[in-house]
Amino acid sequence: MLPERKQILVVDDEPNLRRVLSAQLERDGWEVHTAEDGAMGLEMLRDNHIDLVITDLRMPKVDGMELLRQARALDAELPVVMITAHGTVDNAVEALKTGAFDYITKPFDQGEVRAIVRKALKTRDLSATDATPQDHANQEGFRYGIIGHSPAIKELYAILDRVADTPTTVLITGASGTGKELVARALHENSSRRDMPFIKVNCAAIPKDLMESELFGYERGAFTGAVTSKPGRFELASGGTLFLDEIGNIPVEMQVKLLRALQESEFERVGGIKTIKVDVRVVAATNSDLKKEIASGGFREDLYYRLNVVPLRLPPLCERGAEDTLLLAQHFIQKFNARLKKNIVDADAEAKKRLTEYPWQGNIRELENVVERAVLFCDTTQLRVGDLPAEVREGRAAPDPTAATEAASSDGLKEQVKAAMSRLERELIVKALEQTKGNVTHAARLLKISRKGLQLKMKELGLRESAETKEPKKLA
Ligand SMILES: Nc1ncnc2c1ncn2[C@@H]1O[C@H](COP(=O)(O)OP(=O)(O)OP(=O)(O)O)[C@@H](O)[C@H]1O
Ligand SMILES: [Mg+2]
């Protein structure tokens, strides 16, 4: 299984140290949260889904040892790495006895930090998948963390075998939820660049006028507010892989600059005169039809050909056939078994039939969400039709596959999928609250989202914390 973006919490009262450490961790591709003391750290642990804690030992309020103890009480599997000053190894030994994963000494050695973080997160992954002892990694149908048996996926494996460990640019296309990001990460993880950063840029999420400085960085004084200079994503990805997601959304004005950076492997920071050279492997992805964009003037043809050196088209689930759908469903059952502490073996024949007949317009992401919900609902060792959401049970979505492909880009369909998703979310949340007797903190942990996130979602879905969903202690 490939890693999702792991979340690391850095707790230290020294702002400089927090900054340096989180910058390094971010550069390595992790998502970083910071807290300035143990009390704040604990609060963040409760509110976020943290995979690893790195904490200083000596801190005001709650110190590192206390944080370690409380963190392990919250989640016994959570790895905690201690930061100690040189020469205070005694404390570190005590921390190890209390269950700390490892310790690092100040001043940091980047390589050492990187190695410990990787090891700690790997341990975390293994403990999360205890329920699936067999190693899927090299099994046919499970290669690269990408699941499938269909001819289309076998072809994908063959291309990955050939291009993963090359510097070649790859353009991944496919509808929403077909696994584009998964494949991009697989390319990186299976290349000799795997120990270097994987940097993702979501071109649709970055405002037009920030795009250039995001990609190429800027020099101090380049514009109002540029008080220091900053490297861009190209520089951060140096030696590794740059993943340009939703490349179809990159503003036309930026396309020439991007083309040059790709062709020459060089660029200048905004406001800079020095030409910077980097060694970066570029993988791009899009769910829009770039050929159409070219025709309408929204995308440069020369850039398209530069990106499309190796095209990888990910088929929608409906083209992959029943066998793939069932393989994926089975994989997600295992995944959520581990997460939700269930023991489900498989789906019964009728449930399998509904799963294979349903036209998955949200593709694998939608299937994954449906299985997660079903696993949560299921009280026995087999998923049954009753555990599936109404639309899958009744096969309600458009049955005509040609209409589905045509509609796939239409707003109407997006609305439909969105509505189905929020119904699903709602059911999941209600069920989680039921299971935890209305305890929002526990429900959030079950759903693997932050407590604040859950509260927001509840509000959005009109699920106010009513009498029966309130935390028990708040009941009169
Ligand atoms: N072949 C596969 N095997 C296992 N899991 C998969 C596969 N394809 C996709 N997934 C899972 O489905 C979810 C959606 O995949 P991903 O985010 O890569 O899709 P995407 O194409 O980038 O979607 P979007 O266009 O919406 O960004 C992820 O959780 C991913 O791990
Ligand atoms: Mg994506």
Side-chain angles (χ1 to χ4, degrees), residues 145-148 153 174-183 243 245-246 287 314 320 328 331-332 335 364-365 368:
I146 298 164
I147 290 169
I153 295 300
S176 179
T178 48
K180 296 185 292 294
E181 182 161 349
L182 183 71
V183 168
F243 175 42
D245 202 6
E246 317 271 5
N287 59 16
L314 298 187
R320 293 176 49 175
L328 282 160
H331 164 73
F332 293 132
K335 171 171 170 184
I364 300 161
R365 180 178 297 110
E368 182 171 4

Side-chain angles (χ1 to χ4, degrees), residues 15-236:
N16 248 343
L17 191 140
R18 279 201 306 273
R19 207 166 37 79
V20 171
L21 188 56
S22 49
Q24 189 201 329
L25 293 169
E26 262 162 17
R27 238 179 296 127
D28 287 349
W30 312 116
E31 198 163 323
V32 183
H33 304 259
T34 56
E36 54 194 55
D37 58 51
M40 189 175 162
L42 271 173
E43 201 171 303
M44 302 200 61
L45 267 183
R46 291 198 190 99
D47 284 348
N48 296 281
H49 178 70
I50 302 292
D51 297 293
L52 166 66
V53 179
I54 303 180
T55 177
D56 195 7
L57 262 168
R58 259 210 317 239
M59 285 180 301
K61 294 190 203 166
V62 178
D63 72 1
M65 281 304 290
E66 187 53 28
L67 177 63
L68 168 65
R69 267 188 284 271
Q70 299 211 28
R72 302 208 31 106
L74 273 176
D75 178 352
E77 238 86 59
L78 179 69
V80 179
V81 171
M82 315 302 288
I83 306 170
T84 63
H86 229 46
T88 52
V89 183
D90 284 355
N91 293 337
V93 171
E94 193 200 336
L96 290 179
K97 280 190 194 148
T98 314
F101 179 80
D102 207 338
Y103 64 91
I104 42 183
T105 45
K106 284 187 268 194
F108 299 139
D109 173 79
Q110 287 204 7
E112 186 197 2
V113 171
R114 188 170 291 138
I116 290 180
V117 164
R118 281 185 153 261
K119 203 163 65 181
L121 288 171
K122 201 168 208 164
T123 314
R124 169 92 170 157
D125 267 354
L126 291 178
S127 63
T129 49
D130 266 352
T132 42
Q134 74 272 48
D135 183 11
H136 288 323
N138 289 311
Q139 214 172 305
E140 194 52 34
F142 286 93
R143 299 184 50 212
Y144 296 107
I146 298 164
I147 290 169
H149 253 321
S150 55
I153 295 300
K154 288 199 172 135
E155 197 180 310
L156 175 69
Y157 289 153
I159 300 174
L160 282 174
D161 285 341
R162 229 167 320 133
V163 300
D165 199 16
T166 68
T168 310
T169 308
V170 177
L171 178 63
I172 307 169
T173 55
S176 179
T178 48
K180 296 185 292 294
E181 182 161 349
L182 183 71
V183 168
R185 286 181 189 275
L187 284 166
H188 176 73
E189 289 295 325
N190 291 282
S191 75
S192 43
R193 295 169 180 265
R194 73 180 71 88
D195 290 324
M196 301 304 280
F198 175 89
I199 302 289
K200 172 181 160 176
V201 183
N202 184 344
C203 301
I206 296 172
K208 220 169 154 179
D209 26 327
L210 293 185
M211 191 59 111
E212 183 173 359
S213 55
E214 276 295 323
L215 285 178
F216 303 123
Y218 55 82
E219 290 296 349
R220 185 172 151 193
F223 43 81
T224 329
V227 285
T228 55
S229 51
K230 212 186 126 187
R233 310 280 176 108
F234 261 94
E235 272 176 80
L236 294 180

